[in-house]
């Protein structure tokens, strides 16, 4: 019996993780296409968060990269007014250069039976008269397939998401021989970056990478190289004075999101940055790319049916699983970023306390999703586009997360409050006007008289009802 052929377009972390997971099953003919020759240099800070390291463990690849990584256990954060916080979490992040990471993952996929065709540029998806994907058109000719996994990065030329894009531009370089080689990374929230940051990460081999992130429509984005040089001189000038620059500066765009759009159909799926799965607060994407590749492979293994492909239930399941796992992490990252970029840098809520509160909200938000959405027979995949949809139950799509805050903080009033994890960019908020960590926007903050866990807000009848989610069925 012929094995279904799966084409994976792109051999980055998402494509590599997906192709490796599929190849291990032995049930598919896996063909990986990439326009580059591997190994290749990639524009990226190359940081692997604890979340990304957990996915590498599941893939059985952590030990493969153990000899070739830098370690971050402390983050020095500098705010817009020059205030600094040193964050020590008690956990480690790794820095594995993408030239090593991507090559190592796709090489593992080849070892398990996948085929890699390098130097193959894919131009478009091939569709039959009914509109179903039947393969890809490459510069070398047409290639038919039963399923196409689009892992071509950001921005994807094959994306079906018609929502306006929010693009973050980056530029970075590498240096050897600096005094920064160690276990401390830097994040600088400079006002010229319009709410985003510059970074310095230590790589193995006494190399550091330094770069910046800035919205594409920011006033300073039009002079990216000049701005980068200014930041280098101001924040790292002394350390780079006698350092050797390795290679040239490089840049690349990233499309961020706080929603999960259309990412699957019967014979095609989108993973990683091709699905816009990049944190809106920290612009981190490697962990989400790895995880989405694994989830996509699991859905294909469980539900793919030859000519029929993936059913609507299967594509909805894929979208729901990504939303349940990733959106709370996006919101938590946004909360931390909003705290770090506060103009009152001398009166910050302690950045790590913010991170701990945000991290703790992930579990609560995921429980709310599971009890009000993913397990509900009435839940529809399209609701993933509407974070505040009442179809997810009284607490909405992502649920209610409780944060402890200090009285007088810029982010809130009072000693404790609850806020709905809504659409960060859309700015929807609790009708009473609570603001927590910048996740919601409102012009008139005021105290809510509704009892904790109550059915609604006594100050306003507008908007969704707010209540603490309760697990169903124990």
């Amino acid at each position: 019996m012929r094995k279904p052929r799966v084409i994976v377009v792109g051999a980055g972390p998402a494509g590599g993780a997906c192709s490796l997971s599929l190849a291990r099953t032995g049930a598919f003919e896996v063909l990986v296409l990439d326009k580059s020759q591997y190994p290749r240099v990639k524009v990226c800070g190359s940081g692997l968060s604890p979340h990304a390291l957990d996915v590498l463990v599941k893939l059985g690849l952590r030990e493969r990269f153990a000899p070739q990584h830098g370690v971050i256990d402390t983050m020095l954060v500098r705010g817009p007014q020059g205030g600094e916080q040193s964050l020590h979490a008690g956990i480690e992040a790794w820095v594995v250069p993408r030239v090593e990471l991507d090559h190592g993952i796709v090489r593992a996929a080849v070892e398990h039976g996948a085929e890699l065709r390098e130097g193959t540029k894919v131009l478009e998806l091939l569709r039959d008269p009914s509109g179903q994907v039947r393969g890809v058109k490459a510069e070398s000719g047409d290639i038919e397939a039963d399923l196409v996994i689009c892992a071509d990065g950001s921005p994807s030329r094959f994306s079906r998401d018609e929502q306006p894009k929010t693009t973050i531009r980056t530029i970075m370089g590498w240096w050897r021989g600096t005094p920064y080689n160690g276990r401390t990374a830097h994040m600088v929230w400079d006002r010229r970056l319009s709410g985003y940051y510059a970074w310095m990460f230590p790589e193995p081999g006494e190399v550091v990478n330094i770069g910046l992130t800035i919205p594409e429509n920011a006033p300073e984005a039009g002079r990216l190289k000049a701005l980068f040089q200014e930041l280098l001189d101001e924040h790292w000038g002394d350390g780079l004075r006698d350092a050797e620059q390795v290679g040239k500066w490089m840049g690349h765009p990233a499309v961020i999101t706080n929603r999960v759009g259309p990412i699957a159909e019967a014979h095609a799926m989108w993973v990683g940055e091709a699905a816009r799965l990049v944190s809106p607060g920290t612009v981190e994407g490697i962990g989400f790319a790895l995880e989405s590749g694994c989830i996509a492979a699991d859905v294909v293994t469980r539900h793919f049916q030859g000519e029929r492909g993936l059913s609507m239930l299967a594509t909805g399941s894929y979208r729901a699983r990504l939303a349940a796992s990733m959106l709370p992490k996006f919101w938590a990252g946004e909360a931390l970023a909003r705290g770090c970029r506060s103009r009152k840098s001398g009166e910050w809520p302690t950045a790590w306390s913010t991170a701990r509160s945000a991290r703790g909200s992930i579990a609560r938000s995921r429980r709310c999703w599971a009890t009000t959405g993913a397990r509900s027979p009435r839940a529809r995949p399209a609701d993933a586009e509407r974070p505040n949809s009442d179809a997810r139950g009284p607490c909405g799509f992502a649920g209610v997360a409780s944060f402890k805050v200090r009285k007088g903080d810029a982010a809130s009033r009072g000693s404790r409050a609850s806020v709905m994890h809504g659409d960060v960019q859309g700015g929807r908020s609790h009708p009473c006007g609570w603001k927590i960590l910048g996740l919601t926007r409102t012009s008139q903050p005021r105290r809510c008289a509704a009892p904790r866990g109550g059915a609604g807000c006594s100050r306003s009848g507008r908007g969704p009802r707010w209540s603490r989610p309760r697990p169903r069925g124990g």
Side-chain angles (χ1 to χ4, degrees):
M1 182 177 178
R2 183 182 72 87
K3 295 180 181 180
R5 169 180 272 193
V6 179
I7 289 180
V8 180
V9 182
C18 186
S19 58
L20 172 58
S21 300
L22 289 174
R24 277 179 172 160
T25 68
F28 301 93
E29 178 188 343
V30 181
L31 174 60
V32 186
L33 307 177
D34 198 287
K35 63 182 180 181
S36 301
Q37 298 286 338
Y38 281 73
R40 55 96 172 91
V41 176
K42 183 70 175 178
V43 178
C44 183
S46 302
L48 299 183
S49 65
H51 165 233
L53 294 177
D54 288 342
V55 183
L56 285 184
V57 170
K58 294 177 183 178
L59 289 169
L61 296 178
R62 180 174 174 131
E63 295 305 315
R64 181 185 288 256
F65 299 108
Q68 48 194 354
H69 72 276
V71 175
I72 297 174
D73 61 13
T74 302
M75 183 70 73
L76 181 64
V77 180
R78 185 173 300 141
Q81 300 297 328
E84 291 187 352
Q85 293 280 349
S86 181
L87 311 181
H88 186 77
I91 54 178
E92 290 185 353
W94 284 8
V95 181
V96 179
R98 289 287 299 275
V99 67
E100 303 290 345
L101 180 70
D102 296 8
H103 188 215
I105 296 174
V106 75
R107 189 168 68 244
V110 171
E111 292 169 1
H112 283 83
E115 178 186 354
L116 172 63
R117 293 187 189 176
E118 302 170 87
T120 303
K121 184 176 182 179
V122 176
L123 304 176
E124 60 181 282
L125 302 181
L126 295 177
R127 295 182 180 270
D128 63 19
S130 66
Q132 296 295 327
V133 173
R134 294 302 181 188
V136 300
K137 179 179 181 180
E139 288 182 336
S140 57
D142 296 349
I143 307 174
E144 294 186 353
D146 299 287
L147 177 69
V148 177
I149 307 290
C150 298
D152 55 318
S154 175
S156 172
R157 67 172 62 201
F158 314 119
S159 175
R160 292 176 53 244
D161 195 337
E162 297 180 354
Q163 291 291 323
K165 295 184 296 184
T166 301
T167 302
I168 303 299
R169 297 185 64 185
T170 63
I171 186 171
M172 65 175 297
W174 293 262
W175 285 265
R176 180 182 287 112
T178 73
Y180 306 122
N181 301 309
R183 302 168 71 93
T184 299
H186 299 173
M187 295 182 79
V188 179
W189 301 85
D190 192 285
R191 280 181 293 179
R192 288 166 290 184
L193 298 177
S194 298
Y196 282 83
Y197 64 93
W199 79 84
M200 186 284 297
F201 290 168
E203 293 189 2
E206 299 186 349
V207 173
V208 299
N209 69 64
I210 303 175
L212 65 79
T213 57
I214 186 172
E216 185 179 48
N217 58 358
E220 299 284 345
R223 56 182 205 97
L224 203 58
K225 290 185 177 180
L227 175 61
F228 188 35
Q229 186 63 61
E230 291 174 9
L231 294 174
L232 289 173
D233 294 340
E234 291 178 23
H235 299 289
W236 296 283
D238 291 341
L240 298 180
R241 185 171 294 113
D242 298 322
E244 171 194 359
Q245 183 173 333
V246 180
K248 61 181 181 179
W249 294 355
M250 301 178 68
H252 187 72
V255 179
I256 60 175
T257 188
N258 54 26
R259 55 185 286 279
V260 177
I263 53 172
E265 55 185 72
H267 296 276
M269 303 175 79
W270 284 259
V271 295
E273 291 192 16
R276 303 188 181 181
L277 299 177
V278 178
S279 171
T282 61
V283 201
E284 194 262 324
I286 296 178
F288 305 114
L290 292 169
E291 185 178 11
S292 65
C294 293
I295 292 176
D298 184 63
V299 170
V300 172
T301 302
R302 292 172 181 267
H303 302 293
F304 189 79
Q305 301 177 7
E307 285 297 318
R308 293 181 58 188
L310 296 170
S311 66
M312 291 184 64
L313 181 62
T315 58
S317 169
Y318 174 54
R319 189 174 180 183
R321 287 175 64 180
L322 289 185
S325 176
M326 298 185 184
L327 293 185
K329 297 184 182 74
F330 289 172
W331 297 321
E334 176 71 7
L336 175 60
R338 293 280 179 102
C340 292
R341 67 177 69 133
S342 168
R343 288 181 178 270
K344 295 187 176 181
S345 57
E347 302 175 2
W348 282 350
T350 301
W352 179 238
S353 297
T354 302
R356 291 177 62 188
S357 297
R359 183 178 62 185
S361 74
I362 293 176
R364 288 187 289 272
S365 297
R366 291 184 68 180
R367 283 199 300 272
C368 176
W369 166 271
T371 57
T372 63
R375 295 180 184 175
S376 170
R378 297 182 181 179
R380 298 172 296 171
D383 291 332
E385 296 184 26
R386 302 193 296 275
N388 293 300
S389 171
D390 290 334
R392 293 300 182 195
C395 59
F397 170 76
V400 178
S402 179
F403 289 81
K404 293 182 179 178
V405 294
R406 294 197 304 269
K407 189 173 182 178
D409 281 345
S412 70
R413 294 162 128 189
S415 59
R416 189 175 180 90
S418 294
V419 61
M420 187 174 185
H421 279 285
D423 184 344
V424 175
Q425 293 177 341
R428 296 186 62 177
S429 62
H430 190 302
C432 68
W434 271 107
K435 293 196 303 181
I436 294 292
L437 305 177
L439 277 172
T440 58
R441 301 171 185 164
T442 178
S443 58
Q444 296 180 343
R446 54 186 177 178
R447 189 173 182 83
C448 177
R452 181 175 173 184
C457 172
S458 64
R459 296 288 184 108
S460 171
R462 298 176 287 109
R465 289 179 176 270
W466 292 63
S467 62
R468 183 172 298 280
R470 296 181 178 180
R472 297 178 180 177

